[in-house]
Amino acid sequence: MEKREKRVLVIDDEASIRMNVTDILSPIGYKVSEAADGIRGLQILEDSDPHVVILDINMPRMNGLEVLREIKLRTHGVPVIIFTAFGTSERAIEAMKLGAFDYVEKPFDIEEFILSVERACEYCELLKEVENLRTLVRKSIGGKIDSEIVGRDRKMQDIFKVIGRIAPTEATVLIQGESGTGKELIADAIQRHSKRSDKPYVKINCGALSESVLESEIFGHEKGSFTGADARRKGLFEIADGGTVYLDEINSMPQSLQVRLLRILQKQPFFRLGGVNPVTTDVRIIASSNLNIEEEVARGSFREDLYYRLNVVRINVPPLRERRVDINHLIDHFLVKYGSGEKIVVSPETRRLLNSYHWPGNIRELENVIYSAMVTSSDKILNIKDLPDQSSPCPETFSFISLIEKGMSFREAVTWIENQIIKEALTKNDNNQSKAARYLKMNRRQLYSRMKGI
């Protein structure tokens, strides 16, 4: 990087963070100005004309998103890097929507932080060279966000950034990922943050209906077009006019309907089933697939021209086994979601087991496991005994040493194995403790004492 001085303004109520930023950036040629709150930061902004602003989200007097809005109003595109210690998806998306250049989660990696600042300065210089350049990211829409995507994994954080950038555009989006990974939540987030958020939003699962029913649902039908068609019915594309259509499992859509969908993506009119009058509609399409569409195209089951029309922006959602850092956050999220205000906790041993499981059903399976455990548990601490059988290791393939490899201590692994033996003995003896104790060749008091752990 060139050694000429670049001006940076850091706005953060934590003195230690401001000091760290100064210590990192000053030796490599940056002049750093500091402000302990947003109001003071906006005052310094007027005088210092920084190349980049580094801004905390949670601050007294004026929060970071409010400061970001003001910066966008008062400057001609100065890039803003958001600091957040929380990493929630909606905050990340909101910040990107409001025009943030990037965001960095505390504690941050120094090399990645410096790279982000360098990129922001290069962007600022480009803006100054090209006077008519305008940011493509629009301002935030109003409204409270009720459903939030949980994800601190880097892959998910990158997805949040993409959502923030593309949601306000008209781009068609293709979301790919295994079943249960949260594709619909991502589609919902895109719609919530779009310019069409106050317009109709309709969804249909292309794999849940027969071809004839799916055609009628999507495109509508005229009276008398088939047996039982007693009246004209608008299809989802007509109902969603001006809004958004979400097509789930689009890989299951029959090829005859793929042709008709292609016409809509090409802004051409379509016909209701049995109709002769053309229908026009203005919709944004978000589609998702639980299969790799490129492979479906290669097999000839999905039209290549439709694939290219859908694949303007593609979001690949990782399976839960590839984002294990999120498992504990998801567990806590579901505990709150289904806890009805009660404080319910998961024992450390149970958390370790949940973290070691491969989750073939992804987030949906984890949610079902937590909900089932909460319903069946007799107290406010969820233990291994409360989990459905499918979330425990498979006995045919399970190696006890893998408990150590998953992070358990020797004592914890032995305890877990003992608990499994006791649970099986109780099941085999109809939960009769005396019979189970005799079966295990131990006295009832010993059994009762060990059962306290499960």
Side-chain angles (χ1 to χ4, degrees):
M1 179 177 176
E2 296 181 17
K3 292 296 183 182
R4 52 182 176 159
E5 185 178 78
K6 300 287 172 47
R7 296 179 300 278
V8 173
L9 170 60
V10 54
I11 307 173
D12 197 305
D13 61 321
E14 294 184 60
S16 60
I17 293 294
R18 300 196 304 272
M19 183 182 298
N20 286 344
V21 171
T22 301
D23 290 345
I24 292 168
L25 296 181
S26 293
I28 56 176
Y30 290 89
K31 180 181 179 181
V32 182
S33 302
E34 300 181 21
D37 61 67
I39 294 174
R40 178 57 181 156
L42 291 172
Q43 293 172 346
I44 296 175
L45 179 75
E46 302 292 338
D47 301 325
S48 63
D49 186 27
H51 291 87
V52 59
V53 176
I54 299 169
L55 176 65
D56 189 30
I57 281 188
N58 276 323
M59 294 186 297
R61 303 179 70 187
M62 192 176 190
N63 71 49
L65 295 181
E66 293 171 332
V67 177
L68 177 58
R69 289 188 184 96
E70 283 297 315
I71 291 173
K72 289 301 171 182
L73 289 173
R74 299 185 187 192
T75 69
H76 297 289
V78 59
V80 178
I81 298 173
I82 293 290
F83 264 154
T84 174
F86 297 90
T88 61
S89 63
E90 298 300 338
R91 283 177 176 268
I93 294 169
E94 198 73 17
M96 301 305 292
K97 276 186 58 192
L98 286 171
F101 179 81
D102 199 357
Y103 74 91
V104 176
E105 189 176 351
K106 299 177 185 177
F108 57 85
D109 179 88
I110 293 177
E111 291 184 1
E112 291 184 2
F113 172 65
I114 292 174
L115 179 61
S116 182
V117 173
E118 290 178 347
R119 288 177 56 244
C121 285
E122 291 170 2
Y123 176 75
C124 183
E125 289 186 342
L126 180 62
L127 285 179
K128 291 180 178 180
E129 292 174 4
V130 186
E131 292 182 356
N132 294 326
L133 185 62
R134 294 288 186 267
T135 181
L136 296 177
V137 183
R138 296 180 181 270
K139 292 186 178 180
S140 170
I141 58 170
K144 188 178 186 302
I145 303 303
D146 294 319
S147 59
E148 182 176 302
I149 313 168
V150 177
R152 293 178 67 96
D153 180 84
R154 177 54 58 87
K155 292 178 182 177
M156 294 303 299
Q157 296 287 313
D158 290 341
I159 287 175
F160 300 155
K161 293 179 183 180
V162 171
I163 293 172
R165 292 187 180 113
I166 62 98
T169 73
E170 291 297 303
T172 303
V173 184
L174 176 61
I175 306 169
Q176 286 197 163
E178 295 177 8
S179 295
T181 50
K183 298 186 292 297
E184 185 173 350
L185 283 178
I186 290 173
D188 293 347
I190 294 170
Q191 190 275 338
R192 278 199 308 271
H193 293 273
S194 74
K195 295 179 294 182
R196 299 172 182 255
S197 60
D198 58 342
K199 300 296 192 299
Y201 180 36
V202 299
K203 307 176 182 181
I204 188 164
N205 188 317
C206 301
L209 302 173
S210 67
E211 180 174 350
S212 59
V213 174
L214 183 62
E215 181 178 20
S216 175
E217 287 290 317
I218 292 179
F219 301 104
H221 62 255
E222 298 287 350
K223 180 179 179 180
S225 57
F226 56 86
T227 302
D230 299 326
R232 171 189 287 179
R233 178 179 177 181
K234 289 184 177 181
L236 295 181
F237 280 107
E238 283 186 84
I239 294 171
D241 189 28
T244 306
V245 173
Y246 173 51
L247 299 172
D248 191 16
E249 292 189 27
I250 196 167
N251 50 285
S252 301
M253 178 177 282
Q255 289 220 5
S256 60
L257 301 188
Q258 292 179 28
V259 175
R260 300 189 66 182
L261 176 59
L262 181 61
R263 290 180 60 86
I264 294 176
L265 285 166
Q266 293 170 335
K267 306 299 182 184
Q268 297 180 27
F270 63 93
F271 296 88
R272 301 186 192 97
L273 189 63
V276 293
N277 297 317
V279 178
T280 58
T281 188
D282 171 31
V283 296
R284 182 188 191 179
I285 294 178
I286 303 173
S288 68
S289 171
N290 55 13
L291 298 178
N292 187 308
I293 291 289
E294 290 177 336
E295 294 178 359
E296 297 301 296
V297 169
R299 278 196 287 266
S301 60
F302 200 86
R303 291 182 63 94
E304 186 175 19
D305 47 5
L306 177 57
Y307 165 68
Y308 288 125
R309 285 282 182 176
L310 291 171
N311 195 37
V312 177
V313 176
R314 183 162 70 181
I315 297 176
N316 293 315
V317 188
L320 187 54
R321 62 183 173 275
E322 293 180 9
R323 43 179 291 213
R324 291 188 176 275
V325 68
D326 288 333
I327 292 177
N328 280 326
H329 299 291
L330 287 163
I331 292 170
D332 294 335
H333 174 75
F334 296 135
L335 289 175
V336 173
K337 179 177 180 179
Y338 296 113
S340 301
E342 291 187 286
K343 179 67 175 178
I344 299 176
V345 298
V346 177
S347 71
E349 182 186 28
T350 307
R351 280 188 183 268
R352 290 190 186 95
L353 182 62
L354 293 173
N355 275 271
S356 69
Y357 184 57
H358 60 289
W359 298 112
N362 294 293
I363 298 171
R364 185 182 296 125
E365 182 183 5
L366 174 59
E367 181 173 7
N368 291 339
V369 164
I370 297 300
Y371 179 63
S372 174
M374 292 174 71
V375 169
T376 58
S377 176
S378 58
D379 55 38
K380 296 181 181 180
I381 300 177
L382 301 186
N383 291 296
I384 291 175
K385 67 179 178 61
D386 301 311
L387 301 179
D389 291 340
Q390 65 267 28
S391 59
S392 297
C394 176
E396 289 78 13
T397 60
F398 178 65
S399 168
F400 291 122
I401 198 65
S402 69
L403 294 173
I404 306 299
E405 295 170 350
K406 297 297 184 182
M408 286 190 188
S409 68
F410 174 77
R411 184 179 296 276
E412 289 169 334
V414 170
T415 300
W416 186 88
I417 294 168
E418 286 184 349
N419 289 343
Q420 293 300 110
I421 293 172
I422 292 171
K423 285 173 63 177
E424 289 184 22
L426 286 167
T427 301
K428 190 175 184 67
N429 291 278
D430 301 319
N431 287 319
N432 185 303
Q433 295 179 18
S434 298
K435 289 182 178 179
R438 287 195 295 272
Y439 178 80
L440 293 171
K441 298 179 175 60
M442 60 193 307
N443 64 52
R444 192 176 183 278
R445 182 175 296 177
Q446 286 177 312
L447 175 65
Y448 180 75
S449 174
R450 294 179 183 274
M451 282 178 58
K452 290 180 180 180
I454 59 174

